[in-house]
Amino acid sequence: MQILVLNGPNLNLLGMREPETYGTITLSDICSEMDILARELEVGLTHYQSNHEGDLIDRLHQTMSKEAAVIFNPGAFTHYSYALRDAIAAVSVPVIEVHLSNIHAREKFRRHSVITPVAAGQISGLGSTGYLLALRAAVSLAASEEEGNE
Amino acid sequence: MQILVLNGPNLNLLGMREPETYGTITLSDICSEMDILARELEVGLTHYQSNHEGDLIDRLHQTMSKEAAVIFNPGAFTHYSYALRDAIAAVSVPVIEVHLSNIHAREKFRRHSVITPVAAGQISGLGSTGYLLALRAAVSLAASEEEGNE
Amino acid sequence: MQILVLNGPNLNLLGMREPETYGTITLSDICSEMDILARELEVGLTHYQSNHEGDLIDRLHQTMSKEAAVIFNPGAFTHYSYALRDAIAAVSVPVIEVHLSNIHAREKFRRHSVITPVAAGQISGLGSTGYLLALRAAVSLAASEEEGNE
Amino acid sequence: MQILVLNGPNLNLLGMREPETYGTITLSDICSEMDILARELEVGLTHYQSNHEGDLIDRLHQTMSKEAAVIFNPGAFTHYSYALRDAIAAVSVPVIEVHLSNIHAREKFRRHSVITPVAAGQISGLGSTGYLLALRAAVSLAASEEEGNE
Amino acid sequence: MQILVLNGPNLNLLGMREPETYGTITLSDICSEMDILARELEVGLTHYQSNHEGDLIDRLHQTMSKEAAVIFNPGAFTHYSYALRDAIAAVSVPVIEVHLSNIHAREKFRRHSVITPVAAGQISGLGSTGYLLALRAAVSLAASEEEGNE
Amino acid sequence: MQILVLNGPNLNLLGMREPETYGTITLSDICSEMDILARELEVGLTHYQSNHEGDLIDRLHQTMSKEAAVIFNPGAFTHYSYALRDAIAAVSVPVIEVHLSNIHAREKFRRHSVITPVAAGQISGLGSTGYLLALRAAVSLAASEEEGNE
Amino acid sequence: MQILVLNGPNLNLLGMREPETYGTITLSDICSEMDILARELEVGLTHYQSNHEGDLIDRLHQTMSKEAAVIFNPGAFTHYSYALRDAIAAVSVPVIEVHLSNIHAREKFRRHSVITPVAAGQISGLGSTGYLLALRAAVSLAASEEEGNE
Amino acid sequence: MQILVLNGPNLNLLGMREPETYGTITLSDICSEMDILARELEVGLTHYQSNHEGDLIDRLHQTMSKEAAVIFNPGAFTHYSYALRDAIAAVSVPVIEVHLSNIHAREKFRRHSVITPVAAGQISGLGSTGYLLALRAAVSLAASEEEGNE
Amino acid sequence: MQILVLNGPNLNLLGMREPETYGTITLSDICSEMDILARELEVGLTHYQSNHEGDLIDRLHQTMSKEAAVIFNPGAFTHYSYALRDAIAAVSVPVIEVHLSNIHAREKFRRHSVITPVAAGQISGLGSTGYLLALRAAVSLAASEEEGNE
Amino acid sequence: MQILVLNGPNLNLLGMREPETYGTITLSDICSEMDILARELEVGLTHYQSNHEGDLIDRLHQTMSKEAAVIFNPGAFTHYSYALRDAIAAVSVPVIEVHLSNIHAREKFRRHSVITPVAAGQISGLGSTGYLLALRAAVSLAASEEEGNE
Amino acid sequence: MQILVLNGPNLNLLGMREPETYGTITLSDICSEMDILARELEVGLTHYQSNHEGDLIDRLHQTMSKEAAVIFNPGAFTHYSYALRDAIAAVSVPVIEVHLSNIHAREKFRRHSVITPVAAGQISGLGSTGYLLALRAAVSLAASEEEGNE
Amino acid sequence: MQILVLNGPNLNLLGMREPETYGTITLSDICSEMDILARELEVGLTHYQSNHEGDLIDRLHQTMSKEAAVIFNPGAFTHYSYALRDAIAAVSVPVIEVHLSNIHAREKFRRHSVITPVAAGQISGLGSTGYLLALRAAVSLAASEEEGNE
């Protein structure tokens, strides 16, 4: 089973950027932690990060023929990218939305997500642990979908 | 007379994506139907699709020296891309906005278009027929503009 | 195949009224253009205009036994007549909403239509050409409904 | 004692129109059921239906010299006819508002009634039974008003 | 010079209806007072009242060939009849909006007028005196328009 | 057939509390009137009143194994208790919402009910008569549900 | 009988300021016209203009012992000066609000008046004629109040 | 280490209630699954469910001296219980909010949580798996808090 | 004269909870200070605190036969408990609302009180001093009510 | 210790103005009562009233070198004078906001105070007693600030 | 060339007031810096500060005959003084709006300016440097206007 | 010292596009003017324009190691690109937002900037002069930051 880990705009700066909000852990640290858990759960991971909305849409389209589930932190696109929302609705794999910080305890615009209504589920506020939980959830969801399809 | 047919994000998945909303006809089917009508109306068509907002803006800029009218389905950019709106306002060719589904009978956010106020007209809810009607409208508009300029 | 062309309040003044917004073409000019196209498409047209909401509702009710599709410009009723909306939802023929001007580029109240959610489709901003396109769309819709019913 | 049963726009189509929402019972069926109960309660009924707001206002005005109470289903006028609201406030007989369906469980615009603030009471969601309950309520209200006037 | 005095829904009940809000003077009393002043000002008056929106629109259309100005109390249509608004905008004679009561000191929905933006002016809260002032204003406006046209 | 009559907060004070709004009839008077009608209609009634949201939820849960319908005046919980709403949605018996006063003619917050969208119907503004009508409606609804289940 | 003519901020610039909106007539021209009519109606006028909210409040307080009515153009204070509103409510003389332009046909903030709910009436959009009509209305109101007090 | 699993109103009906939304798994099934994982993670669990807001507040207060973290599904209290929010803010243990369904893809009122701003994190839409992930998160959070306090 | 001091949810934690907002003084400290002032003013006090909305309503009902005034800090119920609001409106004793902190300088939801419109007065932001001032106000209000009743 | 008692617009009319809302006690009566209590509490009072926003700002600026606390009834400036709000935020003495009536039980605009967020506390609805309580609060606040500064 | 530097309410306290927001530089320091630059640019400056809205309006009126441009920091009047807005629209000299702090990063009410729509331009968030830039802009604007008038 | 001049979507068309709003000066003209001033101020400039949001984000990320300040005209991205906002917040160099036109005097959506809250300052409405002022401000800000870091 193959799973896509998709990270949106500015997440490449993680660890360098506003550490009081996002901590000092880098995106590559998170990827390493996820890879360890992925081996334990016996699934393969692909990591992809981009600051370009169009690239994220293109990569989501490819997932239809490549992966069984997506773990997606859309960054600030969470709040306005209806194009990403449509891309998620269009592809048939389950998407788990992850946010490092508790977006509901920050600025007002961060409390509204245009992505969540089409996501399978959302995990927020649990830092890098959230990615690991999302991986467990993704494996569990993809497994039960496979069962359902048999 | 040359006319640009511009399609925005996720329209490349047409026919594969949510058929209960968008039907089973593909974008390439629509292009073929339009090409037939274009020959009948004796105009040339250029087809362009992209999931990247920036690419669509760049292509709209080129239209100033290339085409007499644009048929544009902005997909989800309809609802938030003020940059596309400004691009349309900036180029001097008439733009006909097309939507396959009746966007006013769907989710609330789909009822608001930031594009329409700068478009020449809008056709929605008529499926692929809408593209053909838009082509007739585009030819008619471009013809009367040419007359006006003479 | 018989099609109803329904025009709402103040459209009888077309050509005399605010020409900078609505042009100098009269409603009877539009009817003539439509009749020519109707003959070409081999369908019959009935024209009806009224400034009375109740008359338009009564006429829509009759369409159930008389016509295969309706082309409807509800004029200002577009923005508040839930009674007309219910009438359209109640009768089983497809309705194409037409507006001469681009209602989305005018006063704010004109941007909201209570009719569109129950219409099959909407064409706006294309002047009298919009009526001709609506006729083509109506014929196409009615034809495919007939096929579906066979 | 005489009571007016007033039905607004599109209710003449009851039973033919959107049966999943309104059922298959016709307006004439409801009138018959009411007439039976009216005889049991020893009151006279007058039935009036119109799709014309002005006709309903004119009829409400006449009620001042004719009836002791009104049972009124304003249909879609419920949501915008301030003229009907003023007519009810102007005549001195109590008005019971009835709706076949639960208007609070449908589209958002149906949840707002401009009529209710001037009605004596409202019954909704109980189908044709609602009309019968309204008749009992009307008789009870008119009786206690008469007592009060003695 | 001929002037139309147009009264909307429920104003036929004036004097009988909610006297604590509207006083005990009847519409026919007001007409008589206006006729006296009209003779003094040497203009002719036509009085027209209807509870039907469509009738008021039809009558406004006729004013184009008959009267030099209109005094209009739209009653509750003030708050939602965009069709009447369009009729006023369509005819070329100045319209003075009159309200007996101070609509800004009553229920919230009465504070919003869809008519005022296309009226020449508005007089409210001054009871039947308001009609007499409106007549003076109408004569003055019509006179200066005539001058302007010479 | 057994029916639950459920009354929410402050209804125990009925008759003592704000008589200009709620009248002088007490809750126990209403119960007596309902018991008489219940005997006539040959159904059994259980009366329960509480000022505690949790108690009302617990009692609604028990109704699943005890009663065929519920008559419910949620008092002020009408306006914010989503927990009661979920309880009604969870149990499979029809619930008729009753209000003594016309909640739409009072303070703005009273016009919004979070309960109505999951209720079978609503009766308001008809005083204690409303409870009796609700009993008739409950019996009629429960009877037709039983029929449907056979 | 003595009447106060009160003019608020920027009205001293009338005739010099934005003539496309306010015309070329000056405040002193209007005062002269009013004085002539006042003599005709046999009342005395006091004119007062200030750009200071506090001065206008102080002057309104004095009116209690000096004048029988006030004609007031509050200028931009119309839209936010609750202190002026309270001053008008506090003094016992009737106040007629006047606006030269049709404030309902201009920027959105101009459509809301905090003054009108406590004014006896409002006249707007009729230019300097509005002041003359207001004078007639003020005399009529003050006269009937005097009668009422006898 | 001891952890509290707190469940709010109507969750006692889980499995019996609206299975198309919440599935057929019961609350006691979820508790059993959690107990197994708790043993694996070597922590103790206490389960508590109530339909009474006050009981949940009282139980949260006790957590200060008893547990290191709380897993909380507030049910419908999520949307309005500021009292529960204050209780969470008052006690010093981290709280993980869990929802079985994706609350952002349901009715509008379910999208707003008054609890989330004071929760450590939120997991939603992942069914009973969400509780297990929350347990892992709670253990991880409590462990790092303990470290921080040493 | 007997006075009830009523404290709502989470106030039992006062002094332990968020001291930067609420200080280190405990509820029992405040009660002691109030008892001293009560003796000085020669009135009797009853203290009652609960986290249960229903308990607070029940206790307010009892006040009708027991106390002459109520000092009430509704805690978070301030913002949504319309049931408490109705209870206050129903009992005939004056209620003084007290808040320790300045609720208008905190989160937005704390600025709206559903209780205040039915309270005799409100004191906020003055810490425990506010309770002492409320006691003085309560005695003064109850005294003048007693006078008024003689 | 010196304390400023500041009264805003229209409070000079107290006792003459709308006695059903504000009672018959005059501002000078209130000043006398406060002077008596001030002597008892051994503080000096300065009274200042103005209808001019600018005067109130100037006087607040002077307080920095003159007084230890301010008791302020801003009258209608409460609802819009951000300039007064900034003046209070700029001077370093605590300000107690007082309102004679319960502003939350009156017109909607009176419920919003732009002053409260920068005030130390607020007392409303307690009539002239409110001023006396504010004096006690001001003395208490100023005393504890002095202590804090030592 | 003569330029007016206008400062609104509370700016006289600059340097003494909330230094964490506004810094320690005083208004007189800023004036000195501006005078130096003015000499360099060979223009004359007049400085005027007032806490009185009316004084600022009066001074703006005088600018018509005295100055070629205005640099204006309206302080808190920015957010509600439509009277100042009208004064700026009335005088024919260009006005540059200046704010020391970034008003868009502070409280919500500070983000809305009623002045900006009639100002030539706005400079905010750049501290005292903003005044110097405004001076350069004012000179440049006034120069090009003079050119245009020649 | 190195400074980045960043221009967003459609600014490449400057001079060709809507000259009545944006003038006839081209982007390359502005760059030349800025280069001259940069030489005078002894700083280096880099110019970058893109219609792609992702490219602008990428370029802002690079600024961390390359430039001391950024001058940024985000074009239409001003109104919705939270991703650009996050990029600015993430990089540690000060950003000056520039707009050619007065965005507050145009369409409503242009009045809201999601960028300004994280910008150091904003200059709008001053045409190409605004870029030159921004350059002066950028140099001044960067210089004082360098000082602060020493």
Side-chain angles (χ1 to χ4, degrees), chain D residues 52-55 57-58 61 64 80-87 89-91, chain E residues 9-10 12-13 16-18 22 51-53 75-77 79-80 107 109-110:
Chain D
H52 297 248
E53 185 189 33
D55 288 346
I57 296 170
D58 288 347
H61 287 187
M64 288 193 293
Y80 64 102
S81 179
Y82 289 109
L84 273 168
R85 175 199 179 114
D86 278 1
V91 301
Chain E
N10 298 303
N12 54 319
L13 295 189
M16 284 160 276
R17 166 196 178 201
E18 300 170 89
Y22 300 102
N51 297 323
H52 297 247
E53 184 189 33
F77 288 150
H79 314 301
Y80 63 102
E107 301 100 318
F109 74 84
R110 294 204 202 271

Side-chain angles (χ1 to χ4, degrees), chain D residues 6-142:
Chain D
L6 200 59
N7 280 286
N10 298 303
L11 286 158
N12 54 318
L13 295 189
L14 206 65
M16 285 161 276
R17 166 198 179 199
E18 298 169 272
E20 69 291 353
T21 305
Y22 300 103
T24 55
I25 196 169
T26 65
L27 187 55
S28 120
D29 296 338
I30 291 177
C31 293
S32 304
E33 283 188 52
M34 293 184 87
D35 286 337
I36 293 167
L37 181 60
R39 274 192 292 276
E40 189 186 318
L41 299 173
E42 296 183 352
V43 296
L45 292 190
T46 310
H47 297 281
Y48 187 79
Q49 190 275 338
S50 176
N51 297 322
H52 297 248
E53 185 189 33
D55 288 346
L56 295 167
I57 296 170
D58 288 347
R59 187 60 191 81
L60 276 166
H61 287 187
Q62 294 166 25
T63 210
M64 288 193 293
S65 60
K66 288 191 175 162
E67 286 106 5
V70 181
I71 293 161
F72 187 15
N73 182 342
F77 289 151
T78 304
H79 314 302
Y80 64 102
S81 179
Y82 289 109
L84 273 168
R85 175 199 179 114
D86 278 1
I88 293 171
V91 301
S92 58
V93 297
V95 174
I96 318 257
E97 186 186 349
V98 181
H99 297 283
L100 289 159
S101 62
N102 180 347
I103 57 177
H104 301 283
R106 296 178 61 198
E107 301 100 317
K108 196 177 171 190
F109 73 84
R110 293 203 201 271
R111 285 175 223 160
H112 179 62
S113 165
V114 306
I115 300 297
T116 317
V118 296
Q122 189 199 49
I123 296 173
S124 66
L126 298 169
S128 58
T129 304
Y131 278 88
L132 299 176
L133 299 178
L135 179 49
R136 288 182 187 275
V139 171
S140 156
L141 267 173

Side-chain angles (χ1 to χ4, degrees), chain F residues 53 55 58 61 82-83 86, chain H residues 10 12 51-52 80 109-110:
Chain F
E53 186 190 31
D55 288 346
D58 288 347
H61 287 185
Y82 290 108
D86 277 1
Chain H
N10 297 304
N12 54 319
N51 297 323
H52 297 248
Y80 62 103
F109 73 83
R110 293 203 202 271

